[in-house]
Amino acid sequence: MAETIQTIFTEPAHTQMMNRLWDLQLQNGYIRDEDITQLASLFGLSEIEVEGVVSFYHFFHRQPTGKYTIYVNNSIVAEHKGCQRIIETFERETGARLGSVDRSGMFGLFETPCIGLSDQEPSALINFYPFTQLNAMKVKDIVGRLKAGVDVADICDQPQDNIRFTPAENKTLFFRHLEAGASITKAQALSPNGVIDALKISELAGRGGAYFPTWKKWQAAKEQGASPKFVVCNADEGEPGTFKDRVLMNACPHSLIEGMIICAYTIGASMGFIYLRGEYRWLLPRLEATLADYRKMGLLGKNCNRIEGFDFDIRIQMGAGSYVCGEETALLESLEGKRGEPRTKWFFPVEKGYLQLPTVVNNVETFCAVAQILDIGTDAYLKLGIPGSPGTKLISVSGDCKLPGLYEIEWGMTVAELLELCEAENPYYIQVSGPSGECISIKEKFRRISMLDLLARKDIRCGGSFMVFNKERDLVRVLLNFAAFFKQESCGICTPCRAGNFIIQRKLERLDNGLAIEEDLKELKTWGEIMKTTSRCGLGKTATNSLILAMDKFHDYFVEKLDKSYNGQSMKFDMEAATREYETYKK
Amino acid sequence: MPEITIDGQKIEFNQGMTILEAARSKGGDLVPPTMCYYSKLKDTGGYCRTCIVKVEAESVKNPRALPKPVASCRTLAQDGMVVKNQTSPEVLEARAGVVEFLLINHPLDCPVCDQAGECSLQDLGYEHGKMDTRYEFKRREFEQRDIGDKIKLHMNRCILCYRCVKTAEQITDGRVHGVCSRGDVAEISTYIEQAIDNDFSGNVIDVCPVGALTDKTFRFKNRVWFTKPVDAHRECPKCSGKVRLWYKGEDILRVTARKDQYGEVEEWICNECRFEKKKTADWVIEGPSKVDKHSVISANHYLAPEMKNDLSMLILNPDAGNNPGSSPFSKEQE
């Protein structure tokens, strides 16, 4: 059997844009003017279109980024674990200032939001190889070795999976042994309709965080007349604090691939894609090797698993640093080699997705769950979890706890139980489902984590991220970190998200500097609400969720920072704002 | 024929129309304002969020209300749909918020902006915005870019409606400008100083709702409300030749395409008609233009109610406050 990807469907040339840009970025450290011209003529586009794509993704640069390009994670957990000191140490050791390259052109130093290693912070990527649990000594050592000419690949870390907990009595769903091809054979025995019924019975819902019933999505795709159809795995795990997909792809990539094959078999798709975030480039060899194995075994390619006429293969598409590409329609745009701007929802991807053809987009965890559910059978699956919310859920725990890592919990576990398991240290508030999720107080620790009851706010649906903070962690600074993140990651095409995130960040900075008055808090809230109601996609709609919730639940943190000397007339002078321009000018 | 209800008025529409299109087919106050949607171009809309409306019932089949306001330019009308625009306080509040956000990234340099007086953002701000600003931070600034000798790009004023990008894509033969970067720093850009150089590029000036793209041949020559619009045409091998001439005395200060009641170009014109033909002898004059929509300035909207009663203001401008339609602009027309 073939070991390389089979040509079942020939994609239009321009879909290769991102791959070509990656090649050039890695080869030269940046995209040169002549590259833009060449790509434009290669794909029959104007130069500005190519430029538009390049400038959309923050891992593509138009200026040299050094022989060694260092990206230090600046997410909130990293901030609490001391990423600022790591940046300073890198600056001192390499001679490169943050956001630039040193004089010799050897090192480029940049910040980037969460790289999916929140359980082993502070962390960084050097030439996209991971380095975890950094400290000043380690940084010195790394830079020293790189200067001595050692290959980055030889000294990088292999991030731990840190699977801290799986349900007792060996009831793990995701990490149980799965014989290669076993779940596919079971799917075949069930027939496509049988697979959809099984998913319906198991009540599996999209694990990316939106919890749309998987069977409905697959059914809709199956019913579409247009062909070919596609299966896309959303492995653009960008929500700060989440790393469950990283662990799944590292520990059991085969179950992901089987899940995708089952989906293709069910809906009649001929090609699949794993859209892997740029930050996880180091997982690429492992995924490629697993794909090659599956091709060798005849489980991918022509007549997969000896099913006559079922031709299916999977290609991996690297993202290049853009949180909004986790939104499924933005992801599809990016997959087509364009700017990752969310589409208007005229159609669902199952109707018109990749190349305007029927496409199922699901999260890594969803595909893995499908393979395992079919393998153990729905009866066994329904015994897990609680009625109405069966099964298990992967939760990435990070922040102020002794045991950060991955927890596979049965649905229905309470926040308190999870806090105990991870040995949380003096927890005071918890950011559930990442910055776009909700901020809960320790007083709510008896809430269950389940798929039930989203609106009543009794239970919590966790998308995957669970960041624990103790009372000393300044909530305003946490929210400021989130605001900076959203501002950075907004695609900017709709007004509320483009201007809103910007102004929210400014206001929070002001509050943090002790210059805000009660009126500012009111404005923050109204602006947050406007963004929620009027933004175009999920990013803008959820960006101020936590802020609004936190302002009600933790009013103290905000009041404490207000300008107490305000007498209703003259406001304090904002020295930082006044001198900011001069400071930039000096540089 | 399917029927949609907007602000209590029943409107028949053709299947496939959006809420906005259905509203425009009826006309009047129930039509949501737009900043990015442009009926003459394909695939516009969905960016600015000013046309949001509340859907009280989705359709006959599915009479549930949608939880959040939707962009009317990008939502299909359905039989039995019930929509609230002007009659929904929630929509008006949200729209005022959008206007506020649009203005956050806008320099408010109207006194030195050539678009003033015919600017969609001015109109929108007056009609749907709030009187005061809550924004006290520095506005964003972009590097100046020269995009040729005919068109001036003022990126600081851009509201990223994408109309010019779509125009360049659909009307001119090759797109040489597009959007670069993302988020707060996204900008309309031309590839490395390359001028927009083709026969229909001047149309980007007319589609721009603000003063981000203006006519260099008209730059700082006069305020639009002191000029008199006259419809005229000529035999043009490239375009329809139907234009609007803007006179000051005997001189033609600029040539633009004719615009409809929604400020949209009726027919695209070529650069030769727009930039080269500035003599009355070049044209067959049809007569004064009918301008349906009074701009903020022409309707004297810039005077706040308290100012209208202020004696000193009245002395400076004897017409102010008494007769809202009596600007020099409309006077010359009538």
Side-chain angles (χ1 to χ4, degrees), chain A residues 46-47 49 51 55-56 58 321 339 341 344 488-491 493-496 498 502-503 510 532 534 536 581, chain B residues 46-49 68 74 97 101-102 104 134-136 138 159-160 162 175 178-184 191:
Chain A
S46 70
E47 289 173 349
E49 280 170 293
E51 188 86 57
S55 60
F56 191 85
H58 68 243
R339 291 164 61 82
E341 294 170 352
T344 327
Q488 185 74 29
E489 295 299 330
S490 162
C491 77
I493 64 173
C494 79
T495 314
R498 177 178 66 236
F502 169 79
I503 189 150
R510 194 183 176 130
K532 269 176 90 165
T534 60
R536 175 173 159 134
E581 216 157 319
Chain B
Y47 301 114
C48 72
R49 322 304 291 177
K68 285 181 179 172
R74 287 250 162 167
F101 280 142
L102 279 169
I104 279 172
R134 296 188 280 189
Y135 186 73
E136 70 269 55
K138 196 172 175 303
I159 59 159
L160 284 169
Y162 281 61
R175 165 144 69 125
V179 175
C180 276
S181 300
R182 71 180 182 215
D184 178 50
Y191 189 66

Short mmCIF file of all heavy atoms in Angstrom, two decimals, chain A residues 46-47 49 51 55-56 58 321 339 341 344 488-491 493-496 498 502-503 510 532 534 536 581, chain B residues 46-49 68 74 97 101-102 104 134-136 138 159-160 162 175 178-184 191:
data_model
loop_
_atom_site.label_atom_id
_atom_site.label_comp_id
_atom_site.label_asym_id
_atom_site.label_seq_id
_atom_site.Cartn_x
_atom_site.Cartn_y
_atom_site.Cartn_z
N SER A 46 -3.34 39.07 -7.35
CA SER A 46 -2.55 40.29 -7.34
C SER A 46 -1.62 40.24 -6.13
O SER A 46 -1.87 39.51 -5.17
CB SER A 46 -3.46 41.51 -7.28
OG SER A 46 -4.07 41.59 -6.01
N GLU A 47 -0.55 41.02 -6.20
CA GLU A 47 0.42 40.98 -5.12
C GLU A 47 -0.21 41.38 -3.79
O GLU A 47 0.13 40.84 -2.74
CB GLU A 47 1.60 41.89 -5.45
CG GLU A 47 2.44 41.30 -6.57
CD GLU A 47 3.51 42.24 -7.06
OE1 GLU A 47 3.49 43.42 -6.69
OE2 GLU A 47 4.38 41.77 -7.82
N GLU A 49 -3.10 40.79 -2.72
CA GLU A 49 -3.84 39.68 -2.11
C GLU A 49 -2.90 38.76 -1.35
O GLU A 49 -3.22 38.30 -0.25
CB GLU A 49 -4.61 38.91 -3.18
CG GLU A 49 -5.91 39.60 -3.55
CD GLU A 49 -6.58 39.01 -4.77
OE1 GLU A 49 -6.01 39.13 -5.87
OE2 GLU A 49 -7.65 38.42 -4.61
N GLU A 51 -0.04 39.69 -0.14
CA GLU A 51 0.38 40.50 1.01
C GLU A 51 -0.68 40.47 2.11
O GLU A 51 -0.38 40.39 3.30
CB GLU A 51 0.61 41.94 0.54
CG GLU A 51 1.23 42.86 1.58
CD GLU A 51 2.75 42.79 1.56
OE1 GLU A 51 3.37 43.02 0.51
OE2 GLU A 51 3.30 42.49 2.62
N SER A 55 0.08 39.16 5.90
CA SER A 55 -0.02 40.05 7.06
C SER A 55 -1.12 39.63 8.03
O SER A 55 -1.20 40.14 9.13
CB SER A 55 -0.26 41.49 6.59
OG SER A 55 -1.46 41.55 5.85
N PHE A 56 -1.96 38.68 7.62
CA PHE A 56 -3.03 38.25 8.51
C PHE A 56 -2.52 37.33 9.61
O PHE A 56 -3.05 37.29 10.71
CB PHE A 56 -4.12 37.54 7.71
CG PHE A 56 -5.38 37.28 8.49
CD1 PHE A 56 -6.35 38.25 8.60
CD2 PHE A 56 -5.58 36.07 9.16
CE1 PHE A 56 -7.50 38.04 9.35
CE2 PHE A 56 -6.72 35.85 9.90
CZ PHE A 56 -7.69 36.83 10.00
N HIS A 58 0.25 35.88 12.29
CA HIS A 58 1.40 36.50 12.94
C HIS A 58 2.68 35.67 12.94
O HIS A 58 3.72 36.15 13.37
CB HIS A 58 1.05 37.05 14.34
CG HIS A 58 0.72 36.03 15.37
ND1 HIS A 58 -0.51 35.96 15.96
CD2 HIS A 58 1.46 35.07 15.93
CE1 HIS A 58 -0.52 34.98 16.84
NE2 HIS A 58 0.66 34.41 16.84
N GLY A 321 -0.76 31.01 13.17
CA GLY A 321 -0.89 31.99 14.24
C GLY A 321 -2.06 32.90 14.02
O GLY A 321 -1.91 34.02 13.54
N ARG A 339 -7.14 34.95 3.72
CA ARG A 339 -7.16 35.56 5.03
C ARG A 339 -8.23 34.86 5.86
O ARG A 339 -9.31 34.60 5.37
CB ARG A 339 -7.52 37.05 4.93
CG ARG A 339 -6.46 37.90 4.27
CD ARG A 339 -7.02 39.26 3.85
NE ARG A 339 -7.51 40.05 4.97
CZ ARG A 339 -6.75 40.78 5.76
NH1 ARG A 339 -5.46 40.82 5.54
NH2 ARG A 339 -7.26 41.46 6.75
N GLU A 341 -10.81 35.23 7.63
CA GLU A 341 -11.92 36.04 8.10
C GLU A 341 -13.19 35.20 8.14
O GLU A 341 -13.51 34.53 7.16
CB GLU A 341 -12.12 37.25 7.17
CG GLU A 341 -10.95 38.20 7.21
CD GLU A 341 -11.00 39.26 6.12
OE1 GLU A 341 -11.86 39.17 5.23
OE2 GLU A 341 -10.16 40.17 6.15
N THR A 344 -19.93 35.10 6.40
CA THR A 344 -21.28 35.38 6.86
C THR A 344 -22.03 34.06 6.82
O THR A 344 -21.81 33.24 5.93
CB THR A 344 -22.01 36.33 5.91
OG1 THR A 344 -21.06 37.21 5.38
CG2 THR A 344 -23.07 37.09 6.63
N GLN A 488 -5.51 41.74 19.85
CA GLN A 488 -4.50 41.20 18.95
C GLN A 488 -5.10 40.24 17.93
O GLN A 488 -4.72 40.21 16.77
CB GLN A 488 -3.48 40.45 19.81
CG GLN A 488 -2.27 39.93 19.08
CD GLN A 488 -1.34 41.06 18.73
OE1 GLN A 488 -1.29 42.06 19.43
NE2 GLN A 488 -0.60 40.90 17.65
N GLU A 489 -6.06 39.46 18.37
CA GLU A 489 -6.56 38.37 17.54
C GLU A 489 -7.82 38.69 16.75
O GLU A 489 -8.25 37.89 15.93
CB GLU A 489 -6.81 37.13 18.41
CG GLU A 489 -5.54 36.54 19.02
CD GLU A 489 -4.52 36.09 17.97
OE1 GLU A 489 -4.94 35.69 16.87
OE2 GLU A 489 -3.31 36.17 18.24
N SER A 490 -8.44 39.83 17.00
CA SER A 490 -9.62 40.22 16.23
C SER A 490 -9.21 40.34 14.76
O SER A 490 -8.17 40.89 14.45
CB SER A 490 -10.14 41.57 16.73
OG SER A 490 -10.98 42.14 15.76
N CYS A 491 -10.04 39.81 13.87
CA CYS A 491 -9.66 39.90 12.45
C CYS A 491 -9.90 41.32 11.95
O CYS A 491 -9.34 41.73 10.96
CB CYS A 491 -10.42 38.89 11.61
SG CYS A 491 -12.12 39.32 11.27
N ILE A 493 -12.68 42.81 10.78
CA ILE A 493 -13.58 43.19 9.71
C ILE A 493 -14.89 43.79 10.20
O ILE A 493 -15.54 44.51 9.48
CB ILE A 493 -13.85 42.07 8.68
CG1 ILE A 493 -14.55 40.89 9.31
CG2 ILE A 493 -12.59 41.64 7.98
CD1 ILE A 493 -14.96 39.88 8.26
N CYS A 494 -15.31 43.49 11.41
CA CYS A 494 -16.53 44.16 11.86
C CYS A 494 -16.20 45.21 12.92
O CYS A 494 -15.26 45.07 13.70
CB CYS A 494 -17.60 43.18 12.33
SG CYS A 494 -17.38 42.53 13.97
N THR A 495 -16.98 46.26 12.89
CA THR A 495 -16.68 47.44 13.70
C THR A 495 -16.62 47.17 15.21
O THR A 495 -15.67 47.58 15.87
CB THR A 495 -17.71 48.54 13.40
OG1 THR A 495 -17.86 48.64 12.00
CG2 THR A 495 -17.28 49.86 13.97
N PRO A 496 -17.65 46.52 15.77
CA PRO A 496 -17.67 46.40 17.23
C PRO A 496 -16.45 45.66 17.79
O PRO A 496 -15.90 46.05 18.81
CB PRO A 496 -18.94 45.59 17.52
CG PRO A 496 -19.75 45.66 16.29
CD PRO A 496 -18.82 45.86 15.16
N ARG A 498 -13.47 45.24 16.24
CA ARG A 498 -12.23 45.96 15.92
C ARG A 498 -12.01 47.12 16.89
O ARG A 498 -10.97 47.23 17.52
CB ARG A 498 -12.29 46.49 14.49
CG ARG A 498 -11.08 47.30 14.09
CD ARG A 498 -11.18 47.74 12.63
NE ARG A 498 -12.25 48.67 12.39
CZ ARG A 498 -13.22 48.51 11.51
NH1 ARG A 498 -13.26 47.43 10.77
NH2 ARG A 498 -14.17 49.41 11.37
N PHE A 502 -10.21 47.22 21.32
CA PHE A 502 -9.19 48.24 21.49
C PHE A 502 -9.53 49.14 22.68
O PHE A 502 -8.72 49.35 23.58
CB PHE A 502 -9.09 49.05 20.20
CG PHE A 502 -8.27 50.29 20.30
CD1 PHE A 502 -6.90 50.22 20.25
CD2 PHE A 502 -8.88 51.53 20.45
CE1 PHE A 502 -6.13 51.38 20.34
CE2 PHE A 502 -8.12 52.69 20.54
CZ PHE A 502 -6.74 52.60 20.49
N ILE A 503 -10.77 49.59 22.70
CA ILE A 503 -11.12 50.54 23.75
C ILE A 503 -11.24 49.87 25.11
O ILE A 503 -10.90 50.45 26.14
CB ILE A 503 -12.40 51.33 23.39
CG1 ILE A 503 -12.59 52.46 24.39
CG2 ILE A 503 -13.62 50.47 23.37
CD1 ILE A 503 -13.28 53.62 23.81
N ARG A 510 -6.25 51.90 32.06
CA ARG A 510 -6.49 53.08 32.84
C ARG A 510 -6.90 52.72 34.27
O ARG A 510 -6.43 53.31 35.24
CB ARG A 510 -7.64 53.79 32.16
CG ARG A 510 -7.83 55.12 32.59
CD ARG A 510 -9.02 55.64 31.87
NE ARG A 510 -9.15 56.93 32.45
CZ ARG A 510 -9.28 58.03 31.77
NH1 ARG A 510 -9.37 57.96 30.48
NH2 ARG A 510 -9.35 59.15 32.37
N LYS A 532 -21.15 42.41 22.57
CA LYS A 532 -21.85 41.12 22.63
C LYS A 532 -23.03 41.06 21.67
O LYS A 532 -23.25 40.06 21.00
CB LYS A 532 -22.38 40.88 24.05
CG LYS A 532 -21.41 40.14 24.94
CD LYS A 532 -21.95 40.01 26.35
CE LYS A 532 -22.77 38.76 26.54
NZ LYS A 532 -22.98 38.46 27.97
N THR A 534 -23.66 43.09 18.94
CA THR A 534 -23.55 43.48 17.54
C THR A 534 -22.41 42.84 16.74
O THR A 534 -22.36 43.04 15.53
CB THR A 534 -23.41 45.02 17.42
OG1 THR A 534 -22.24 45.41 18.12
CG2 THR A 534 -24.60 45.73 17.99
N ARG A 536 -19.93 40.31 14.66
CA ARG A 536 -20.26 39.41 13.55
C ARG A 536 -20.07 37.93 13.90
O ARG A 536 -20.86 37.09 13.55
CB ARG A 536 -19.37 39.81 12.38
CG ARG A 536 -19.47 38.92 11.17
CD ARG A 536 -18.64 39.58 10.06
NE ARG A 536 -18.26 38.64 9.05
CZ ARG A 536 -18.36 38.87 7.75
NH1 ARG A 536 -18.83 40.01 7.33
NH2 ARG A 536 -17.95 37.99 6.88
N GLU A 581 4.20 58.34 23.63
CA GLU A 581 4.70 58.63 22.30
C GLU A 581 6.19 58.94 22.31
O GLU A 581 6.94 58.50 21.47
CB GLU A 581 3.93 59.81 21.71
CG GLU A 581 3.73 59.64 20.24
CD GLU A 581 2.55 60.47 19.77
OE1 GLU A 581 1.53 60.50 20.49
OE2 GLU A 581 2.67 61.09 18.73
N GLY B 46 -22.11 43.23 5.87
CA GLY B 46 -21.72 42.33 6.95
C GLY B 46 -20.57 42.86 7.79
O GLY B 46 -20.20 42.25 8.78
N TYR B 47 -20.00 43.99 7.42
CA TYR B 47 -18.83 44.48 8.13
C TYR B 47 -19.15 45.52 9.21
O TYR B 47 -18.67 45.44 10.31
CB TYR B 47 -17.83 45.11 7.16
CG TYR B 47 -17.33 44.16 6.09
CD1 TYR B 47 -17.63 44.34 4.76
CD2 TYR B 47 -16.54 43.07 6.44
CE1 TYR B 47 -17.17 43.47 3.78
CE2 TYR B 47 -16.08 42.19 5.48
CZ TYR B 47 -16.39 42.40 4.15
OH TYR B 47 -15.92 41.53 3.20
N CYS B 48 -19.97 46.51 8.81
CA CYS B 48 -20.07 47.68 9.69
C CYS B 48 -21.05 47.50 10.84
O CYS B 48 -20.92 48.11 11.87
CB CYS B 48 -20.45 48.91 8.88
SG CYS B 48 -22.16 48.90 8.32
N ARG B 49 -22.04 46.67 10.67
CA ARG B 49 -23.04 46.35 11.69
C ARG B 49 -24.02 47.49 11.99
O ARG B 49 -24.68 47.46 13.01
CB ARG B 49 -22.42 45.88 13.02
CG ARG B 49 -21.22 45.01 12.93
CD ARG B 49 -21.40 43.78 12.12
NE ARG B 49 -22.27 42.77 12.71
CZ ARG B 49 -22.57 41.63 12.09
NH1 ARG B 49 -22.10 41.39 10.90
NH2 ARG B 49 -23.36 40.75 12.65
N LYS B 68 -30.20 37.64 19.34
CA LYS B 68 -29.42 38.87 19.17
C LYS B 68 -29.80 39.55 17.87
O LYS B 68 -30.25 38.90 16.94
CB LYS B 68 -27.92 38.53 19.16
CG LYS B 68 -27.42 38.22 20.55
CD LYS B 68 -25.95 37.92 20.58
CE LYS B 68 -25.54 37.63 22.02
NZ LYS B 68 -24.18 37.15 22.16
N ARG B 74 -27.37 40.95 5.49
CA ARG B 74 -26.84 39.61 5.31
C ARG B 74 -27.77 38.54 5.87
O ARG B 74 -27.36 37.43 6.16
CB ARG B 74 -25.47 39.50 5.99
CG ARG B 74 -24.39 40.24 5.23
CD ARG B 74 -23.45 39.27 4.63
NE ARG B 74 -22.65 39.85 3.57
CZ ARG B 74 -21.59 39.23 3.07
NH1 ARG B 74 -21.20 38.08 3.53
NH2 ARG B 74 -20.92 39.77 2.09
N GLY B 97 -24.45 52.41 19.66
CA GLY B 97 -23.17 51.85 20.10
C GLY B 97 -22.24 51.61 18.93
O GLY B 97 -21.04 51.92 18.99
N PHE B 101 -18.58 53.21 18.11
CA PHE B 101 -17.39 52.44 17.77
C PHE B 101 -16.78 52.90 16.44
O PHE B 101 -15.57 52.96 16.29
CB PHE B 101 -17.70 50.95 17.69
CG PHE B 101 -17.76 50.28 19.05
CD1 PHE B 101 -18.71 49.30 19.31
CD2 PHE B 101 -16.87 50.61 20.05
CE1 PHE B 101 -18.75 48.67 20.54
CE2 PHE B 101 -16.92 49.99 21.28
CZ PHE B 101 -17.87 49.02 21.53
N LEU B 102 -17.65 53.21 15.48
CA LEU B 102 -17.14 53.70 14.20
C LEU B 102 -16.38 55.00 14.40
O LEU B 102 -15.34 55.24 13.78
CB LEU B 102 -18.28 53.94 13.21
CG LEU B 102 -18.84 52.72 12.48
CD1 LEU B 102 -20.13 53.08 11.76
CD2 LEU B 102 -17.83 52.19 11.48
N ILE B 104 -14.87 56.00 17.08
CA ILE B 104 -13.66 55.83 17.88
C ILE B 104 -12.43 55.82 16.97
O ILE B 104 -11.39 56.36 17.29
CB ILE B 104 -13.73 54.52 18.69
CG1 ILE B 104 -14.57 54.75 19.94
CG2 ILE B 104 -12.34 54.02 19.07
CD1 ILE B 104 -14.86 53.49 20.71
N ARG B 134 -17.52 59.61 24.54
CA ARG B 134 -16.97 59.08 25.79
C ARG B 134 -15.54 58.64 25.56
O ARG B 134 -14.95 57.95 26.35
CB ARG B 134 -17.78 57.86 26.23
CG ARG B 134 -19.21 58.19 26.56
CD ARG B 134 -19.89 57.00 27.15
NE ARG B 134 -20.31 56.06 26.13
CZ ARG B 134 -21.09 55.01 26.38
NH1 ARG B 134 -21.50 54.77 27.60
NH2 ARG B 134 -21.44 54.20 25.42
N TYR B 135 -15.01 59.04 24.42
CA TYR B 135 -13.70 58.53 24.05
C TYR B 135 -12.64 59.57 24.30
O TYR B 135 -12.70 60.66 23.74
CB TYR B 135 -13.71 58.14 22.58
CG TYR B 135 -12.45 57.48 22.13
CD1 TYR B 135 -12.17 56.18 22.52
CD2 TYR B 135 -11.53 58.15 21.35
CE1 TYR B 135 -11.00 55.56 22.14
CE2 TYR B 135 -10.36 57.53 20.95
CZ TYR B 135 -10.11 56.23 21.35
OH TYR B 135 -8.95 55.62 20.96
N GLU B 136 -11.68 59.26 25.15
CA GLU B 136 -10.68 60.27 25.45
C GLU B 136 -9.27 59.79 25.17
O GLU B 136 -8.30 60.36 25.62
CB GLU B 136 -10.83 60.76 26.90
CG GLU B 136 -10.45 59.76 27.95
CD GLU B 136 -11.61 58.90 28.42
OE1 GLU B 136 -12.28 58.25 27.59
OE2 GLU B 136 -11.83 58.85 29.62
N LYS B 138 -6.07 58.44 22.54
CA LYS B 138 -5.49 58.83 21.26
C LYS B 138 -6.09 57.96 20.15
O LYS B 138 -6.28 56.77 20.33
CB LYS B 138 -3.98 58.57 21.35
CG LYS B 138 -3.17 59.24 20.29
CD LYS B 138 -1.69 59.04 20.63
CE LYS B 138 -0.80 59.59 19.56
NZ LYS B 138 -1.00 59.05 18.22
N ILE B 159 -13.10 53.49 7.60
CA ILE B 159 -13.88 52.68 8.53
C ILE B 159 -13.92 51.22 8.10
O ILE B 159 -14.72 50.43 8.59
CB ILE B 159 -15.32 53.22 8.69
CG1 ILE B 159 -16.04 53.23 7.33
CG2 ILE B 159 -15.33 54.60 9.31
CD1 ILE B 159 -17.54 53.25 7.46
N LEU B 160 -13.06 50.85 7.18
CA LEU B 160 -12.94 49.47 6.70
C LEU B 160 -14.26 48.85 6.25
O LEU B 160 -14.65 47.79 6.71
CB LEU B 160 -12.28 48.59 7.77
CG LEU B 160 -10.77 48.78 7.89
CD1 LEU B 160 -10.25 48.09 9.14
CD2 LEU B 160 -10.04 48.23 6.70
N TYR B 162 -14.80 48.01 3.16
CA TYR B 162 -14.40 47.10 2.09
C TYR B 162 -15.04 47.43 0.73
O TYR B 162 -14.87 46.68 -0.22
CB TYR B 162 -14.73 45.63 2.42
CG TYR B 162 -13.75 44.96 3.36
CD1 TYR B 162 -13.55 45.45 4.64
CD2 TYR B 162 -13.04 43.83 2.98
CE1 TYR B 162 -12.67 44.85 5.52
CE2 TYR B 162 -12.15 43.21 3.85
CZ TYR B 162 -11.98 43.72 5.12
OH TYR B 162 -11.11 43.12 5.98
N ARG B 175 -7.17 43.98 -9.44
CA ARG B 175 -7.15 44.56 -8.11
C ARG B 175 -5.72 44.83 -7.71
O ARG B 175 -4.90 43.95 -7.67
CB ARG B 175 -7.76 43.57 -7.12
CG ARG B 175 -7.47 43.93 -5.68
CD ARG B 175 -8.61 43.63 -4.79
NE ARG B 175 -8.85 42.20 -4.65
CZ ARG B 175 -8.90 41.60 -3.47
NH1 ARG B 175 -8.68 42.27 -2.37
NH2 ARG B 175 -9.15 40.32 -3.40
N GLY B 178 -6.00 46.18 -1.51
CA GLY B 178 -6.73 45.23 -0.71
C GLY B 178 -6.49 45.53 0.75
O GLY B 178 -5.95 46.58 1.08
N VAL B 179 -6.87 44.59 1.61
CA VAL B 179 -6.72 44.84 3.04
C VAL B 179 -5.52 44.07 3.57
O VAL B 179 -5.33 42.91 3.25
CB VAL B 179 -8.00 44.42 3.78
CG1 VAL B 179 -7.83 44.56 5.26
CG2 VAL B 179 -9.16 45.28 3.31
N CYS B 180 -4.73 44.75 4.37
CA CYS B 180 -3.58 44.13 4.99
C CYS B 180 -3.70 44.14 6.51
O CYS B 180 -4.45 44.92 7.06
CB CYS B 180 -2.30 44.84 4.59
SG CYS B 180 -1.68 44.24 3.03
N SER B 181 -2.94 43.29 7.16
CA SER B 181 -2.92 43.15 8.62
C SER B 181 -4.29 42.73 9.14
O SER B 181 -5.19 42.44 8.36
CB SER B 181 -2.48 44.43 9.32
OG SER B 181 -1.19 44.76 8.90
N ARG B 182 -4.43 42.77 10.46
CA ARG B 182 -5.73 42.39 11.00
C ARG B 182 -6.05 43.22 12.23
O ARG B 182 -5.19 43.91 12.75
CB ARG B 182 -5.75 40.89 11.34
CG ARG B 182 -4.92 40.53 12.52
CD ARG B 182 -4.98 39.05 12.82
NE ARG B 182 -4.20 38.78 14.01
CZ ARG B 182 -3.49 37.68 14.21
NH1 ARG B 182 -3.46 36.73 13.32
NH2 ARG B 182 -2.80 37.53 15.34
N GLY B 183 -7.29 43.11 12.65
CA GLY B 183 -7.74 43.77 13.86
C GLY B 183 -7.65 45.27 13.75
O GLY B 183 -7.90 45.87 12.72
N ASP B 184 -7.27 45.83 14.87
CA ASP B 184 -7.22 47.26 15.04
C ASP B 184 -6.26 47.96 14.06
O ASP B 184 -6.39 49.13 13.77
CB ASP B 184 -6.79 47.47 16.49
CG ASP B 184 -6.64 48.89 16.85
OD1 ASP B 184 -7.59 49.63 16.56
OD2 ASP B 184 -5.60 49.26 17.40
N TYR B 191 -0.21 47.98 -2.99
CA TYR B 191 1.04 47.26 -2.92
C TYR B 191 2.22 48.16 -3.27
O TYR B 191 2.37 48.63 -4.38
CB TYR B 191 1.02 46.05 -3.84
CG TYR B 191 2.21 45.19 -3.63
CD1 TYR B 191 2.38 44.52 -2.44
CD2 TYR B 191 3.18 45.07 -4.61
CE1 TYR B 191 3.49 43.73 -2.23
CE2 TYR B 191 4.29 44.30 -4.40
CZ TYR B 191 4.44 43.63 -3.21
OH TYR B 191 5.54 42.87 -2.98
#
